[in-house]
């Protein structure tokens, strides 16, 4: 496959965190603007500004969304600094794990689940790659179909 196929997973928690931070900061400005002569309004406004700024900064810096990409004959998974690369020929099929945080599992050509190193540098390994909870299974299925990877239930080797 010479062209690049890419899927960026949406992150609802990040958007909620960002908008919550912006809302708290706006409430802080509003509290100070209503009555800047009273110390309680200034204290409340400064606290709301600090909390909103911290929440918005955390939303921008800490929460990383997963990216699935197939290019140059390799499958790439990136989430922040964590990256997994698997040669395209080693992937036989895929499966999706349902739940609060959806996950993508890859199987080798014999139908066995592939193992990946842990996301947090622990000694354990996992057989799946975490996506986000609001990632649509239909989008993942469409991405994998464009890449030419069959689902596990329709795999020739299962």
């Amino acid at each position: 496959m010479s062209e690049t196929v890419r899927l960026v997973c949406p992150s609802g928690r990040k958007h909620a965190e960002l908008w919550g931070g912006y809302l708290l900061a706006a409430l802080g400005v509003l509290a100070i603007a209503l009555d800047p002569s009273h110390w309680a309004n200034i204290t409340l406004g400064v606290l709301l500004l600090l909390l909103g700024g911290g929440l918005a900064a955390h939303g921008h810096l800490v929460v990383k969304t997963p990216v699935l990409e197939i290019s140059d004959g390799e499958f790439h998974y990136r989430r922040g600094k964590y990256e997994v690369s698997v040669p395209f020929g080693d992937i036989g099929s895929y499966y999706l794990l349902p739940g609060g945080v959806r996950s993508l599992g890859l199987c080798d050509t014999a139908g066995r689940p592939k193992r990946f190193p842990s996301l947090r540098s622990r000694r354990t390994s996992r057989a799946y790659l975490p996506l986000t909870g609001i990632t649509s299974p239909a989008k993942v299925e469409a991405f994998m179909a464009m890449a030419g990877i069959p689902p596990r239930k329709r795999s020739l080797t299962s």
Side-chain angles (χ1 to χ4, degrees):
M1 168 171 269
S2 61
E3 59 192 52
T4 299
V5 181
R6 184 180 194 144
L7 172 70
V8 178
C9 297
S11 182
R13 189 179 93 200
K14 181 176 181 177
H15 295 295
E17 195 170 14
L18 288 172
W19 284 106
Y22 297 149
L23 181 65
L24 283 177
L27 286 174
V29 169
L30 183 67
I32 293 172
L34 285 177
D35 188 11
S37 62
H38 198 271
W39 66 270
N41 282 3
I42 294 173
T43 304
L44 178 65
V46 168
L47 285 174
L48 286 172
L49 275 169
L50 289 175
L51 286 172
L55 198 59
H58 185 267
H60 280 291
L61 299 176
V62 176
V63 180
K64 304 294 183 198
T65 58
V67 176
L68 304 173
E69 183 178 81
I70 294 181
S71 65
D72 300 328
E74 283 193 333
F75 174 88
H76 299 281
Y77 169 87
R78 286 186 201 92
R79 184 175 184 179
K81 293 180 182 179
Y82 181 74
E83 184 173 334
V84 171
S85 294
V86 180
F88 190 72
D90 292 349
I91 301 172
S93 61
Y94 76 94
Y95 58 96
L96 287 174
L97 296 172
V101 176
R102 286 191 178 74
S103 298
L104 174 69
L106 298 176
C107 298
D108 61 11
T109 54
R112 294 182 304 261
K114 294 187 82 52
R115 303 293 294 178
F116 305 104
S118 175
L119 288 175
R120 303 271 193 273
S121 298
R122 296 182 188 129
R123 291 183 184 186
T124 61
S125 63
R126 59 178 63 200
Y128 54 87
L129 300 168
L131 305 174
T132 58
I134 63 172
T135 302
S136 169
K139 282 188 177 184
V140 176
E141 290 170 2
F143 167 78
M144 296 304 250
M146 277 196 304
I149 301 171
R152 187 176 196 178
K153 61 186 172 201
R154 285 186 258 157
S155 173
L156 298 174
T157 59
S158 59

